[in-house]
């Protein structure tokens, strides 16, 4: 009975994928303006947001299974039929999706930990709001429990991925336009079927935009062949084994760096429970731990100096080469150009080897901006600035409305931890 109900829901999702996606986006947008509108509006808004987020996770898993999953052939007939009706020329899978789907499909431990971690992250603010109302001061115990469970799940992800750092989000995200899954007999066919190979290919007509039914005017732009071919070009990262898109933690230093990064939120929450949000000690402790984790992560990729000295000599700098080609022999200019271009050869190994690594490191570096909303920096600098902005823009048409919505969040940032948790 339950299986039939899920299949009926998946049938509804496949038939109305774009409308359901638009509804998800609308509900999320509504939750942003609910705080301050009525009593417990923030609780109602966060309940809606958490529910939509969890439902969106399920929708993403269904859509990914239809389009990309290797196990689609074992899926039930509804999913297999939708995959067969989809164009044979699938959009190129992103590197993040390739990496996370590889571990999700090859390790049950990774898949379980990733799903649980995303469920907790989607509902943690709602749980904290309920705990603040029911448990008062003991709500910090709930927050500590959540952070402890998240830390354990992240350590499980590290072990399941053979000692690789945690990548956020740990599961593939929606990367295909859901409208492609809505099938209609009135829709024109943009594929052709090879008689001998039996393979379905995308027709060149698929590159031409569809007629604008709303205006009744057909668009006749020429298909952009160059953009189409460029989007289907494979790079060395596209053909690399998924597991090699993220390097293993390098030695003891790398493992310590990841452990410090994973444990930092738990240590911060424990410090907040002991000293309070206005005290500088939790703020400084958290910032020092995060800086330490970033520094150790970069240093873990450095070769020992004796090994670096055996590396090939770097080529002549472009400035020195240009001076040589022009016949200009000036020892000072050559020394200056060499000094500006010379760098420690070990630093080249500290650069990300793929977009997956690069995006994760960039996201971790951006998380330092959250410290503007924490501790004494928030109460003594950021909050007064925002309050002043709200007062100055009060009564103005558009910017005043936006500023007032932002002003409704100021007391929420004061009260709830997860509004500023990275």
């Amino acid at each position: 009975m339950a299986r039939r109900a899920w299949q009926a829901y998946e049938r509804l999702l496949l038939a109305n994928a774009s409308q359901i996606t638009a509804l998800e986006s609308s509900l999320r947008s509504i939750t942003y303006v609910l705080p301050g509108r009525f009593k417990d509006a923030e609780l109602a808004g966060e309940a809606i947001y958490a529910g939509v987020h969890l439902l969106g996770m399920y929708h993403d898993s269904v859509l990914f299974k239809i389009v990309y999953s290797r196990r689609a052939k074992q899926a039930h007939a509804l999913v297999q039929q939708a995959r067969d009706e989809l164009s044979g020329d699938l959009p190129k899978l992103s590197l993040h999706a390739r990496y996370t789907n590889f571990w999700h499909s090859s390790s049950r431990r990774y898949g379980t930990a990733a799903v649980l971690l995303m469920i907790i992250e989607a509902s943690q603010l709602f749980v904290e709001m309920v705990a603040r109302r029911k448990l008062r001061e003991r709500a910090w115990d709930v927050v500590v429990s959540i952070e402890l469970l998240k830390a354990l799940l992240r350590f499980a992800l590290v072990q399941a991925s053979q000692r690789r750092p945690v990548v956020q989000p740990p599961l593939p995200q929606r990367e295909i336009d859901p409208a492609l899954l809505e099938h209609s007999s009135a829709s024109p066919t943009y594929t052709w079927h090879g008689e001998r190979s039996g393979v379905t290919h995308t027709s060149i007509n698929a590159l031409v935009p569809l007629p604008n039914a709303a205006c009744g005017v057909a668009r006749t732009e020429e298909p952009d062949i160059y953009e189409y071919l460029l989007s289907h070009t494979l790079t060395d990262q596209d053909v690399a084994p998924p597991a090699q898109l993220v390097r293993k933690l390098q030695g003891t230093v790398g493992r310590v760096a990841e452990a410090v990064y994973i444990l930092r939120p738990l240590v911060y929450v424990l410090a907040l429970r002991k000293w309070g949000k206005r005290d500088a000690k939790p703020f400084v402790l958290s910032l020092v731990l995060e800086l330490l984790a970033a520094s150790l992560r970069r240093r873990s990729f450095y070769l020992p100096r004796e090994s670096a000295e055996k590396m090939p000599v770097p080529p002549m700098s472009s400035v020195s080469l240009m001076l040589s080609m022009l016949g200009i022999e000036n020892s000072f200019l050559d020394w200056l150009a060499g000094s500006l271009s010379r760098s420690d050869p070990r630093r080249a190994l500290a650069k990300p080897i793929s977009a997956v690594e690069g995006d994760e490191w960039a996201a971790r570096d951006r998380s330092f901006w959250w410290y503007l909303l924490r501790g004494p920096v928030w109460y003594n600098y950021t909050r007064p600035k925002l309050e002043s902005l709200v007062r100055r823009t009060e009564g103005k048409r558009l910017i005043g409305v936006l500023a007032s919505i932002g002003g409704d969040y100021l007391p929420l940032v004061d009260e709830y931890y997860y509004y500023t948790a990275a």
Side-chain angles (χ1 to χ4, degrees):
M1 184 67 181
R3 185 176 181 181
R4 290 182 180 179
W6 281 118
Q7 290 187 3
Y9 182 78
E10 289 182 356
R11 187 178 295 108
L12 175 66
L13 172 62
L14 298 177
N16 305 277
S18 60
Q19 290 86 347
I20 291 177
T21 301
L23 180 60
E24 290 177 3
S25 179
S26 299
L27 289 175
R28 286 193 182 98
S29 300
I30 291 174
T31 61
Y32 296 143
V33 299
L34 277 181
R37 299 296 172 266
F38 52 88
K39 184 180 180 181
D40 291 336
E42 66 275 7
L43 181 63
E46 192 56 35
I48 295 173
Y49 184 87
V52 172
H53 197 120
L54 293 174
L55 190 60
M57 285 176 52
Y58 174 70
H59 293 167
D60 291 347
S61 67
V62 173
L63 297 178
F64 190 91
K65 179 172 61 177
I66 293 171
V67 181
Y68 294 114
S69 178
R70 297 176 182 176
R71 294 178 292 180
K73 292 184 178 180
Q74 285 94 30
H76 55 77
L78 171 65
V79 173
Q80 184 60 37
Q81 179 184 1
R83 181 179 174 88
D84 293 339
E85 293 177 357
L86 189 63
S87 168
D89 194 8
L90 301 177
K92 186 168 66 173
L93 195 62
S94 73
L95 297 178
H96 174 271
R98 284 185 63 225
Y99 176 79
T100 52
N101 181 60
F102 169 77
W103 289 114
H104 177 258
S105 58
S106 61
S107 172
R108 179 174 298 181
R109 184 180 181 184
Y110 181 96
T112 302
V115 171
L116 290 176
L117 180 60
M118 293 193 66
I119 290 175
I120 292 173
E121 290 178 343
S123 56
Q124 59 190 9
L125 179 54
F126 174 70
V127 173
E128 184 189 6
M129 287 182 173
V130 174
R132 296 287 180 194
R133 285 163 171 76
K134 300 294 183 180
L135 303 178
R136 303 296 179 182
E137 292 301 324
R138 292 184 58 193
W140 279 116
D141 296 337
V142 176
V143 177
V144 170
S145 301
I146 292 174
E147 289 301 330
L148 176 60
L149 182 56
K150 287 166 61 178
L152 294 175
L153 291 173
R154 286 177 176 137
F155 279 120
L157 291 177
V158 171
Q159 293 298 321
S161 59
Q162 300 176 2
R163 293 187 176 180
R164 287 175 170 82
V166 178
V167 172
Q168 287 288 356
L171 291 176
Q173 301 299 288
R174 190 178 307 176
E175 298 179 349
I176 184 174
D177 183 3
L180 295 177
L181 300 175
E182 296 181 8
H183 312 292
S184 173
S185 59
S187 302
T189 301
Y190 287 140
T191 60
W192 59 276
H193 193 74
E195 295 180 358
R196 290 185 296 177
S197 65
V199 178
T200 302
H201 301 277
T202 301
S203 169
I204 198 67
N205 293 330
L207 303 179
V208 182
L210 292 173
N212 192 336
C215 302
V217 179
R219 297 171 62 183
T220 58
E221 290 89 341
E222 291 294 328
D224 194 337
I225 307 299
Y226 176 77
E227 292 294 336
Y228 173 78
L229 294 177
L230 188 63
S231 66
H232 286 70
T233 302
L234 295 178
T235 65
D236 55 345
Q237 296 182 25
D238 292 323
V239 298
Q244 295 183 10
L245 295 175
V246 175
R247 286 171 289 185
K248 293 183 178 181
L249 299 172
Q250 303 295 306
T252 304
V253 176
R255 291 193 289 272
V256 170
E258 191 67 13
V260 171
Y261 179 79
I262 291 175
L263 292 175
R264 195 275 310 163
L266 176 61
V267 174
Y268 180 48
V269 169
L270 290 172
L272 288 176
R273 184 175 66 172
K274 181 177 181 179
W275 289 302
K277 299 182 70 173
R278 291 180 177 270
D279 197 292
K281 296 185 187 69
F283 178 87
V284 174
L285 179 60
S286 177
L287 181 59
V288 169
L289 289 177
E290 199 145 2
L291 288 171
L292 177 63
S295 177
L296 292 177
R297 183 196 73 210
R298 296 186 183 95
R299 188 166 296 277
S300 68
F301 293 104
Y302 285 8
L303 282 173
R305 184 168 295 278
E306 55 272 15
S307 301
E309 292 174 352
K310 298 178 182 179
M311 295 178 65
V313 178
M316 184 183 298
S317 69
S318 57
V319 178
S320 299
L321 182 61
M322 183 180 65
L323 293 175
S324 177
M325 292 176 62
L326 294 176
I328 301 175
E329 296 183 1
N330 188 304
S331 59
F332 174 75
L333 292 177
D334 190 64
W335 170 83
L336 181 62
S339 299
L340 293 176
S341 61
R342 188 180 298 117
S343 60
D344 190 341
R346 299 178 299 169
R347 293 185 179 273
L349 298 174
K351 296 180 179 179
I353 62 170
S354 71
V356 183
E357 266 194 5
D359 292 343
E360 177 62 23
W361 293 3
R364 294 189 182 190
D365 291 340
R366 288 194 302 270
S367 66
F368 284 99
W369 289 103
W370 285 107
Y371 285 93
L372 292 174
L373 305 179
R374 297 174 183 168
V377 174
W378 165 251
Y379 290 106
N380 299 326
Y381 177 77
T382 311
R383 199 183 199 285
K385 295 289 185 183
L386 294 177
E387 287 180 328
S388 176
L389 176 63
V390 171
R391 288 194 299 269
R392 290 199 308 268
T393 58
E394 188 176 2
K396 297 184 178 179
R397 292 184 178 178
L398 180 59
I399 191 172
V401 173
L402 297 177
S404 65
I405 294 175
D408 293 332
Y409 279 88
L410 297 181
L412 300 180
V413 175
D414 293 340
E415 184 175 1
Y416 299 110
Y417 165 76
Y418 282 113
Y419 265 112
T420 59

